[in-house]
Amino acid sequence: MADSPYPELKKTHTMARVGRPWTDVKPVPSAPVWNVIFGLGAYWMLVGAIELGLFDALWEHGPLDPGELAKHLESSAPHVESLADALVVLGLLDRHEGRFDLNDCSRRYLCSESPAPMADLVAVAPGPAENWTDLVGTIRRGEPARPVDGDGAGFWVPLVEGTFGTVLRAASRADAWISYSHLNAPRVADLGAGGAPWSIAVLLACPGATAVVNDLPEVLEVARARLAEAGVEDRCELRPGDYHTVALEDESFDLVVLGHICRTEGADGTRALLGRAAAALRPGGRVLVSDYFRTEDPSRSPQGVFMAATMAVCTVRGTAFTYEQMSSWLREAGLGEVRLIEPIAAQQIFVATKPTGPPESSD
Amino acid sequence: MSSSNDTSDPGRLEPVDLLIRAGHVVTMNPRRDIVRHGAVAVRGSEIVAVGKEADLRARYEAAATAGGDRFVATPGMVNSHIHITGEPLTRGYVPDDIDFAENVFGWLCPLYATYTANDERISAQLAATEMLRSGTTCFLEAGTVRFLDDVVDGLVEVGIRGRVGRWVWDLPPEPDVYRQNTDEAIANLQAVLDRHGSVAGGRIAGHVILVGHNTASDPLWRAAREIATDSGAGFSFHMSPAQLDPDSFLAEFGQRPIVHLAELGVLDDDVALTHCVRVDDTEVRILAETGASVAHCPTTALKVAYGVTQVGKMPEMMAAGVNVAIGTDGNNASNYSDLMRATYLVAGLFKDARCDPQMFPAEMAYEMATLGGAGAVQAHDQIGSLEAGKKADIVLHDTDRPEWRPLLNVMSQLVWSADGRGVHSVWVDGAQVVDAGHMTTIDEERLWADCQAAGEAICARSGLPDKAKFPMV
C-alpha cells in the first residue's frame, strides 16, 4: 500500500523536539475557513426562518414534512426543505423520518411562546448589515461611516425591544446571587435602561422599591410601555437624556444599574459612568455592570471578542473591556467586594459595593 | 533510641541549642517508640538525641528549652502532593458539582493562568502557612508553578521545607501562558534544577516534575527520566485520577498508562505518581516492582468524585509493598491543606469501602503521612521520624484541648481525634516557625489581607462567574 502523503499523527514517532507536532506533520484542516464562509448564510437562514415563522409553525403544529411546512409558511416546498435541512445542520431543528421538528434549543429560545425567547434578538444583535459590508472601510478610517450611537429610534429602540426578554431573565435570576429582594424599599437608578428590564425585575421583587429610569427620549417610550405592562410604572420616574449628564442625586440609591451601556462608551466614558454610579450610591449600595467582557487571551472569551468587533463596526467608541479592566476600574471608583455573576448563560454582571466606612475597632 | 557522638569528659554536659520537651514523643523510629516524658535535643538544623527528658538533661546543656508535659511531639508530616499556586487564592471558587473535565479545563486551567507573579508568591506563602500551622513541615509541589523564582523567594521567607517544580508539559496548546514545545519543556525541567537545585541550605529544592496525565510526549517522558537520574532529584507527576488517562493511553498506545511508562523506562524508586485511582492489578504490580511511590489524595477523590472507594486499589498497593503517601492536592479539589484531616480520611475510607476494620489502622495512616511522605520526596534519610542525625523538623501538639482529652492512646488521638488546629509549635531545620499556633516568620495579618484582596481580584478578572448557590444579602 502506498504511503499516505500525510502520515498519521502519533506522539510516539512524530514528536520532534522542536515545533508543534500537529502542524509539523500534516496540514491543518480547512474547516475554520469553510465555517466562516458558511457563517454568512447560516446567520441569514436563521433570520429568514424566524421571519417566515418556521419555528412558530412547528411549535403550533408539531412535526411536519417539507410540503406541510411549506404550506403553513406559504412558501416554496423545495426552498423550505433546503432551509430547514440547513437548520438541522446548525443544531436548531431535528429531522426524523422526513419530518422536521423543534429540538430542545429552538423550543426554548426561538419560538414566540418559548420560555426564554431570543427570536427578536437575532435580527438586531449584530447591528446594521451595511456596517458589516463596510468593515474594511471602518478599519481603515478607524470608525464606522454610519455609527448607530445617536440613532435612538432607528437602532436602539428595536435593539432594546429585542434584548428585553433575555435581560429580564438575567435580572430576575440575579436575585439568587445578590438577593435584592431582601432590600427594604430600595431605590434604583437604571441608566441607559432600554426597556427597563432591571427596574422591572427589582420592582416586582420588592413591593416598596422605586426607580429612576433613564435613556434617550424615544427609547424611554419602550420602557414606559414595558413598565406599564408589568404594573410598576407608578413607582418609576422617567428621566430622559444622556446618562453622562442626567441629574442623579448623590448617595441616594441602593442599586445603580449600568446595563449593556459601557461597551459603547470607551474607557474614559466607562470610568466616568462608574464614578457617577459610585457617587449616586448610598454606603452599602451596589452597582451592577452588565455587559460582555473578554479575557486577554481571545480564545477564552469568544463572545466578548465578537462583541468588541460588533461594537467597533457599529459605534464610535465601542469595544469590549477585559475582566481585569472592569474590576480594577470598579475599585478605582472606590467600590469594593467586586464579584462577577452569571445568572443565565452568557449574561455576566459585575457587582461591586460602596463601602460603609471604616470597620469598627475590635478592641 | 538516643544517641550522641560526644567523647568529651564524663560529667561535662554537651551543649545543644534546644531541648524540646513533651509528655509523649512519637518518634516514628524503626521500632516506632513512643517516649513518655521525653525530649528531643537539637543542635543547629539536626536532631542530636531523642529520649527520656531526664536522660537528655543529664547529658546536654540546652541554650533554650521549649514544650512541656502537656505536649505530644511528632515528626513534621510530609504532604506528598499539593498545588501551592493556582488554587490557594481561589480556594473554593470552583463549583463542587461539576465533572472532572469541566473542573480541570473549564475552571482550574483558566484560574491558574490568571495568577500574577506576586499572586503566586503570596499563594505559596498561604499554602506553606496552612501546612506549617497544621503540622506539615515538608511538601512536594504538584509541578504547576509558573513564577518559580517568586515562589521560592516566598517559601524561603516562610521557612517550610519543600520540593518544587514548574508547570511542564509539551502537548496541550493552551492556556497560552503554559504552551511549550518539547525542547522548551526539557529546558524548563533542567532550569528548575539549575536555578533552584538547593536553596536555603537545601530546605527548598528543585524536583523533576511533569504535569503528567496525557500531556507529555514520549520524548519528554524519556528526557525527564534522564534528568532525574543524572541529577539525583526525585521525579513526580499526576496519573490516572479519572478514566481520562487510561482511556487516552489505551487509545494512543494500546497500553494502560503505567504499563506504557514502565516500557519507556520512566518508573523507578525515585518516582512519585499522584492519584493512581484508576489502575489495574498489572499496574499495581509494576508500581511495586519499580519501587515507585503513590501520592494518595483522599480529599480530592471525594470532592471530584474519582470513585476511589469504588475502584481504588490503595489496600492492594500497600499489600504489594508500594510506598503510598498522602497529599491534599489543590484547594478547589480539597479546600484545606491540613494533612491531619487527610490522614483521618486515609484511615477511614477503605475500612468502610471494604467493610473491613483492619484496613489502614491509625498507625499505618500516620506512617504514610510521615515516613511515606519522606520516601516519596526522596528524603527518607533526612525527615519523617525523630531520630538522631535527622533534620529537626518537629511538631508539638497541645493536648489541653477538648479533642485531645482524655489522652489514652496517642496514635488513635493523632489520627482519629486531633486535627491541625491543635498544633502549637513547629520547628523546621531547628528554627521555630510556629509558636502558640501562629507564624513567627511572617506577618499573618498582612498575609490574610493580601490573600483576600488578591483572591477577589483573580476571580474578578478570570471571567469565571461566582457560582455560589445561596444569595449574598
Side-chain angles (χ1 to χ4, degrees):
Chain A
M1 189 170 69
D3 285 345
S4 161
Y6 306 120
E8 281 303 304
L9 178 65
K10 291 292 280 185
K11 277 189 279 187
T12 41
H13 61 84
T14 64
M15 189 61 210
R17 290 198 172 191
V18 291
R20 306 306 302 169
W22 46 86
T23 56
D24 292 345
V25 176
K26 61 182 180 181
V28 296
S30 57
V33 181
W34 283 111
N35 288 344
V36 172
I37 291 170
F38 286 131
L40 176 75
Y43 173 73
W44 287 110
M45 283 190 278
L46 178 57
V47 171
I50 292 169
E51 187 177 332
L52 286 165
L54 185 149
F55 298 108
D56 284 344
L58 293 171
W59 176 282
E60 184 176 350
H61 301 291
L64 299 171
D65 66 30
E68 295 166 337
L69 182 58
K71 191 175 177 184
H72 285 295
L73 303 184
E74 299 178 347
S75 301
S76 153
H79 288 80
V80 167
E81 182 172 14
S82 175
L83 173 64
D85 274 339
L87 294 171
V88 171
V89 172
L90 293 171
L92 300 172
L93 284 184
D94 284 343
R95 186 172 190 180
H96 296 300
E97 298 177 348
R99 288 149 69 93
F100 295 106
D101 195 4
L102 298 173
N103 64 9
D104 288 347
C105 179
S106 48
R107 186 172 286 110
R108 178 165 176 78
Y109 297 111
L110 293 174
C111 303
S112 299
E113 303 298 319
S114 286
M118 293 178 70
D120 291 345
L121 185 62
V122 173
V124 294
E130 57 268 29
N131 284 51
W132 286 105
T133 56
D134 186 37
L135 175 65
V136 172
T138 298
I139 289 172
R140 286 184 173 142
R141 282 187 304 274
E143 63 178 19
R146 292 174 297 277
V148 301
D149 297 77
D151 187 8
F155 180 75
W156 295 110
V157 165
L159 183 70
V160 301
E161 285 178 332
T163 57
F164 178 83
T166 300
V167 179
L168 179 61
R169 279 193 299 119
S172 302
R173 288 283 302 275
D175 189 44
W177 278 263
I178 58 177
S179 199
Y180 51 70
S181 58
H182 284 70
L183 298 174
N184 181 28
R187 191 164 185 231
V188 182
D190 197 351
L191 301 183
W198 276 96
S199 294
I200 289 170
V202 176
L203 266 57
L204 288 175
C206 306
T210 56
V212 170
V213 179
N214 154 263
D215 213 316
L216 299 171
E218 52 269 54
V219 180
L220 270 190
E221 292 309 310
V222 180
R224 188 189 305 278
R226 299 289 190 180
L227 291 163
E229 286 170 15
V232 295
E233 76 276 24
D234 57 334
R235 289 189 276 148
C236 294
E237 176 194 343
L238 303 186
R239 288 189 190 174
D242 183 338
Y243 36 64
H244 285 289
T245 54
V246 69
L248 275 183
E249 301 85 344
D250 282 349
E251 302 211 338
S252 300
F253 296 93
D254 301 282
L255 297 170
V256 175
V257 181
L258 307 177
H260 294 282
I261 61 174
C262 291
R263 64 176 177 268
T264 66
E265 298 305 313
D268 292 342
T270 295
R271 292 163 91 164
L273 280 173
L274 296 176
R276 292 208 82 197
L281 285 171
R282 292 179 177 135
R286 287 174 286 185
V287 64
L288 311 177
V289 184
S290 174
D291 219 311
Y292 300 100
F293 306 99
R294 57 163 294 176
T295 51
E296 291 288 347
D297 174 0
S299 64
R300 282 193 48 221
S301 47
Q303 190 151 9
V305 170
F306 281 135
M307 184 54 73
T310 302
M311 298 312 295
V313 301
C314 293
T315 66
V316 177
R317 292 178 298 277
T319 187
F321 301 118
T322 66
Y323 296 97
E324 182 161 10
Q325 283 174 311
M326 185 54 69
S327 57
S328 62
W329 292 343
L330 287 163
R331 291 192 180 87
E332 282 174 18
L335 302 165
E337 298 178 21
V338 178
R339 298 172 70 195
L340 180 71
I341 65 172
E342 189 177 89
I344 63 173
Q347 297 298 312
Q348 294 190 326
I349 301 150
F350 270 103
V351 183
T353 305
K354 186 168 184 173
T356 53
E360 291 182 10
S361 169
S362 58
D363 295 337
Chain B
M1 180 166 52
S2 65
S3 68
S4 168
N5 296 323
D6 180 30
T7 55
S8 58
D9 294 341
R12 184 173 176 185
L13 296 180
E14 186 181 347
V16 292
D17 295 321
L18 178 65
L19 191 71
I20 300 173
R21 303 156 53 223
H24 297 74
V25 177
V26 177
T27 65
M28 302 306 289
N29 66 14
R31 290 194 325 198
R32 308 292 190 260
D33 292 317
I34 296 169
V35 186
R36 282 290 279 140
H37 310 298
V40 182
V42 176
R43 184 182 301 122
S45 64
E46 291 190 357
I47 295 170
V48 175
V50 181
K52 291 284 189 185
E53 180 187 347
D55 293 343
L56 297 196
R57 282 189 179 281
R59 292 168 51 200
Y60 298 105
E61 181 174 17
T65 60
D69 217 42
R70 81 171 201 258
F71 297 104
V72 169
T74 66
M77 294 184 295
V78 182
N79 191 330
S80 63
H81 183 78
I82 180 171
H83 297 253
I84 62 171
T85 61
E87 301 208 49
L89 298 184
T90 47
R91 187 198 304 265
Y93 194 66
V94 176
D96 67 359
D97 55 0
I98 53 177
D99 66 22
F100 175 74
E102 185 182 356
N103 183 307
V104 173
F105 302 113
W107 287 82
L108 296 181
C109 285
L111 282 173
Y112 274 80
T114 306
Y115 277 54
T116 64
N118 189 58
D119 290 339
E120 287 209 348
R121 186 181 190 279
I122 60 175
S123 174
Q125 291 195 318
L126 180 65
T129 295
E130 187 180 0
M131 284 190 277
L132 288 170
R133 282 185 49 170
S134 53
T136 294
T137 53
C138 181
F139 68 92
L140 174 56
E141 222 287 327
T144 45
V145 175
R146 183 173 160 211
F147 303 102
L148 192 57
D149 290 354
D150 301 83
V151 164
V152 167
D153 182 62
L155 292 171
V156 170
E157 183 183 9
V158 174
I160 198 168
R161 186 182 306 284
R163 300 290 176 263
V164 296
R166 282 185 55 180
W167 189 302
V168 178
W169 63 19
D170 67 339
L171 292 179
E174 55 188 19
D176 193 48
V177 297
Y178 298 122
R179 182 189 283 226
Q180 304 157 49
N181 65 33
T182 310
D183 264 0
E184 291 164 342
I186 294 168
N188 285 333
L189 288 176
Q190 189 63 53
V192 169
L193 301 180
D194 293 343
R195 290 181 63 82
H196 306 292
S198 177
V199 182
R203 207 168 63 238
I204 303 295
H207 214 73
V208 178
I209 310 179
L210 296 177
V211 171
H213 300 298
N214 58 349
T215 68
S217 66
D218 284 354
L220 179 56
W221 281 114
R222 289 198 188 96
R225 171 70 274 162
E226 289 172 20
I227 292 171
T229 302
D230 292 347
S231 66
F235 183 10
S236 179
F237 49 86
H238 298 82
M239 192 53 69
S240 299
Q243 197 56 35
L244 196 62
D245 289 346
D247 284 352
S248 171
F249 275 77
L250 284 166
E252 175 110 26
F253 306 110
Q255 294 174 309
R256 294 184 68 86
I258 289 168
V259 175
H260 183 68
L261 294 181
E263 196 170 284
L264 289 180
V266 168
L267 301 181
D268 207 334
D269 63 3
D270 61 350
V271 170
L273 300 87
T274 298
H275 298 307
C276 292
V277 172
R278 300 275 170 169
V279 296
D280 70 6
D281 292 338
T282 300
E283 291 177 294
V284 171
R285 179 178 54 75
I286 292 171
L287 290 171
E289 288 173 356
T290 57
S293 298
V294 168
H296 172 27
C297 301
T299 47
T300 311
L302 291 179
K303 194 176 174 198
V304 192
Y306 287 165
V308 71
T309 57
Q310 310 294 312
V311 299
K313 292 183 177 291
M314 283 67 191
E316 287 72 22
M317 290 180 197
M318 296 294 288
V322 177
N323 177 45
V324 182
I326 308 173
T328 57
D329 209 354
N331 285 144
N332 280 293
S334 159
N335 287 33
Y336 60 78
S337 306
D338 178 350
L339 200 68
M340 294 186 70
R341 292 176 67 187
T343 304
Y344 168 97
L345 285 175
V346 167
L349 281 178
F350 283 95
K351 285 185 191 298
D352 181 80
R354 305 283 176 94
C355 297
D356 181 354
Q358 296 194 9
M359 289 280 162
F360 295 94
E363 293 80 0
M364 178 188 284
Y366 205 72
E367 287 171 351
M368 295 164 68
T370 51
L371 296 162
V377 301
Q378 303 300 298
H380 40 278
D381 57 339
Q382 294 189 318
I383 57 176
S385 62
L386 300 180
E387 296 178 83
K390 284 202 168 182
K391 293 291 185 185
D393 292 2
I394 303 165
V395 176
L396 288 183
H397 300 261
D398 190 347
T399 63
D400 279 353
R401 296 172 55 87
E403 74 273 17
W404 270 101
R405 294 294 182 181
L407 176 51
L408 306 173
N409 179 331
V410 68
M411 297 312 296
S412 179
Q413 290 294 77
L414 265 174
V415 172
W416 289 110
S417 180
D419 61 30
R421 288 170 293 184
V423 169
H424 181 280
S425 298
V426 179
W427 290 262
V428 177
D429 263 352
Q432 188 163 14
V433 292
V434 177
D435 182 27
H438 292 283
M439 299 299 296
T440 63
T441 50
I442 58 168
D443 181 345
E444 289 184 343
E445 296 298 323
R446 181 175 172 186
L447 181 63
W448 311 151
D450 287 350
C451 290
Q452 185 66 35
E456 290 178 9
I458 290 166
C459 292
R461 68 175 184 265
S462 72
L464 294 166
D466 180 352
K467 290 287 187 182
K469 293 182 179 62
F470 286 175
M472 188 85 75
V473 180

